[in-house]
Amino acid sequence: MLGEQKVSYSGVQPSGNLTIGNYLGAIRNFKQYSEQYKTFYCVVDEHAITVRQVPAELRRRTYETLALYMACGLDPEKNTLYVQSMVHEHAELAWILNCFTMFGELSRMTQFKDKSAKHADNINAGLFTYPTLMAADILLYQTDVVPVGIDQKQHVELCRDIAERFNQIYPGTFTVPEPVIAKSGMKIMSLADPTKKMSKSDENANAVVYILDDRDTIIRKFKRAVTDSGSEVRYSPDKPGVSNLMSIYSCFTGKSFEEIEHEFEGKGYGDFKLAVGETTADALAAVQSEYNLLLADKAGLEAQMKKGAEEASYYARRTLSKVQKKLGFVQLH
Ligand code: AQP
């Protein structure tokens, strides 16, 4: 809570082109808090460097991610939209929280295990302490709710443990946040391997639908999506490919699985995949045209970055100085 107001906080890494997984699992759900809550949505570039990035691409994607936030309906007058590295308190609080996070806790994080297996040549300490930086992001703003996809739930739960541990030693420091996982779209799977999460850093571009893919590409990717044996459109654990496509279709149309099964009764996978592709392309068209306008105005995006960083810094400074005082760091006035 900040004063009387509840706080929503979340972030997305500019580590690749954003996917419909990022959109349906996270960004699309940010807006619902804009009216009632104080909201902070961050482009988490410091998280992105836990994996090697090409500097020019990281810079470009930072602009793009901010533009996408706005194109997805986040009004910068109602939401604080900013870039993580422009608010130095994130890194400072992360160091402090590292001293309140246990080695064993970090070792149990699934994302660390997955990413270390994927980047075996670069298992750096930042990859290991990623959840502590994420805890700092969230706790700096006295956050109540964190809208994320299900893959990030474990990190938010660790953040809660860290906040509770800190509060036990230094009472009243942090609001303890809750993860909010959307009922539909919490985990969109790869189109090439529906047992694997759809990820922006997937090397196989056909496995992933990007928010900015053009209409033909979206339809082509869905046409090629791996489906299961049989030809029946049915939501079931033994049909992970079809079930994933049904989830996507359900997210974009608001239809239930029963309604979808009924709609495609007696029709084959071909008709169904085409419908998913066309619906997704239609739904993303408005976001894409707004995005193109925003991205063309680089100065406007930079002005937004500056404004967002100033707003965020104000609250971040307050929490950090409260923490420093509690710890016994000397404060000069
Ligand atoms: N496939 C997904 N389904 C639902 N939600 C998803 N999210 C990511 N993928 C899916 C949610 O998007 C938000 C931002 O994710 P992130 O940028 O912090 O990184 P991530 O979770 O590691 O996402 P990626 O796409 O897999 O990135 P890379 O490839 O760089 O690791 C989070 O709320 C996440 O849950």
Side-chain angles (χ1 to χ4, degrees):
M1 298 273 279
L2 284 171
E4 292 294 289
Q5 226 178 353
K6 285 200 168 190
V7 176
S8 167
Y9 185 96
S10 199
V12 175
Q13 300 182 70
S15 48
N17 295 325
L18 268 53
T19 73
I20 56 168
N22 298 129
Y23 179 67
L24 298 173
I27 303 174
R28 188 174 81 139
N29 309 311
F30 294 173
K31 198 177 153 190
Q32 61 184 303
Y33 299 100
S34 298
E35 300 296 333
Q36 308 283 338
Y37 285 54
K38 182 116 193 79
T39 53
F40 297 88
Y41 298 121
C42 186
V43 181
V44 289
D45 55 349
E46 290 176 329
H47 282 280
I49 62 161
T50 52
V51 170
R52 290 279 172 267
Q53 302 291 336
V54 177
E57 285 179 13
L58 180 64
R59 201 172 294 119
R60 173 173 57 77
R61 286 181 176 138
T62 301
Y63 284 88
E64 291 173 353
T65 306
L66 181 71
L68 257 181
Y69 275 173
M70 291 158 72
C72 291
L74 295 174
D75 177 351
E77 296 306 317
K78 293 187 180 157
N79 305 272
T80 299
L81 308 178
Y82 72 104
V83 178
Q84 186 182 31
S85 61
M86 295 182 185
V87 180
H88 59 79
E89 286 82 358
H90 287 249
E92 288 177 66
L93 183 61
W95 170 253
I96 293 170
L97 297 183
N98 268 328
C99 305
F100 292 83
T101 308
M102 300 302 131
F103 185 86
E105 288 175 319
L106 292 172
S107 309
R108 284 193 288 277
M109 293 295 112
T110 315
Q111 181 177 286
F112 173 66
K113 291 184 204 159
D114 291 349
K115 291 212 169 166
S116 340
K118 204 165 149 194
H119 303 280
D121 56 335
N122 182 24
I123 308 176
N124 59 73
L127 199 60
F128 188 63
T129 59
Y130 179 112
T132 323
L133 177 59
M134 181 164 155
D137 302 338
I138 296 167
L139 299 180
L140 267 180
Y141 301 94
Q142 305 294 349
T143 300
D144 295 275
V145 295
V146 189
V148 281
I150 197 133
D151 61 312
Q152 291 295 337
K153 187 167 175 243
Q154 194 184 33
H155 288 165
V156 182
E157 279 165 356
L158 176 58
C159 171
R160 285 173 60 83
D161 292 343
I162 298 169
E164 280 166 356
R165 183 173 302 139
F166 199 96
N167 283 348
Q168 222 160 37
I169 310 172
Y170 308 103
T173 309
F174 296 123
T175 302
V176 180
E178 293 278 350
V180 180
I181 318 284
K183 281 199 192 74
S184 62
M186 62 168 91
K187 192 170 187 186
I188 302 298
M189 310 307 275
S190 153
L191 296 191
D193 175 359
T195 60
K196 227 176 79 186
K197 188 184 84 147
M198 185 182 283
S199 258
K200 61 173 109 70
S201 58
D202 198 316
E203 275 146 26
N204 177 4
N206 286 320
V208 182
V209 177
Y210 300 106
I211 303 177
L212 298 173
D213 273 344
D214 64 48
R215 188 179 179 80
D216 289 348
T217 306
I218 294 175
I219 292 172
R220 179 175 48 76
K221 285 182 177 177
F222 278 112
K223 269 189 190 159
R224 283 197 192 162
V226 168
T227 34
D228 316 282
S229 54
S231 61
E232 203 187 347
V233 176
R234 183 167 45 84
Y235 193 87
S236 154
D238 64 350
K239 286 181 169 269
V242 171
S243 298
N244 184 40
L245 298 183
M246 286 177 73
S247 295
I248 296 168
Y249 191 63
S250 166
C251 283
F252 283 120
T253 58
K255 291 179 186 166
S256 69
F257 294 141
E258 295 76 54
E259 285 172 312
I260 299 169
E261 284 169 1
H262 187 66
E263 182 179 347
F264 292 97
E265 220 173 288
K267 295 181 186 161
Y269 288 157
D271 285 352
F272 173 54
K273 288 187 190 178
L274 181 64
V276 183
E278 286 179 342
T279 306
T280 304
D282 288 347
L284 294 177
V287 172
Q288 293 178 353
S289 58
E290 185 61 24
Y291 167 85
N292 289 329
L293 291 176
L294 288 160
L295 197 70
D297 179 12
K298 195 174 173 199
L301 289 173
E302 285 175 350
Q304 178 48 49
M305 286 178 190
K306 189 159 183 286
K307 174 177 164 291
E310 280 167 6
E311 284 169 16
S313 294
Y314 171 78
Y315 296 101
R317 218 168 23 238
R318 281 206 327 201
T319 300
L320 183 66
S321 99
K322 180 177 172 187
V323 168
Q324 290 173 327
K325 218 182 287 172
K326 294 212 180 223
L327 286 168
F329 291 179
V330 172
Q331 312 260 292
L332 298 177
H333 296 287

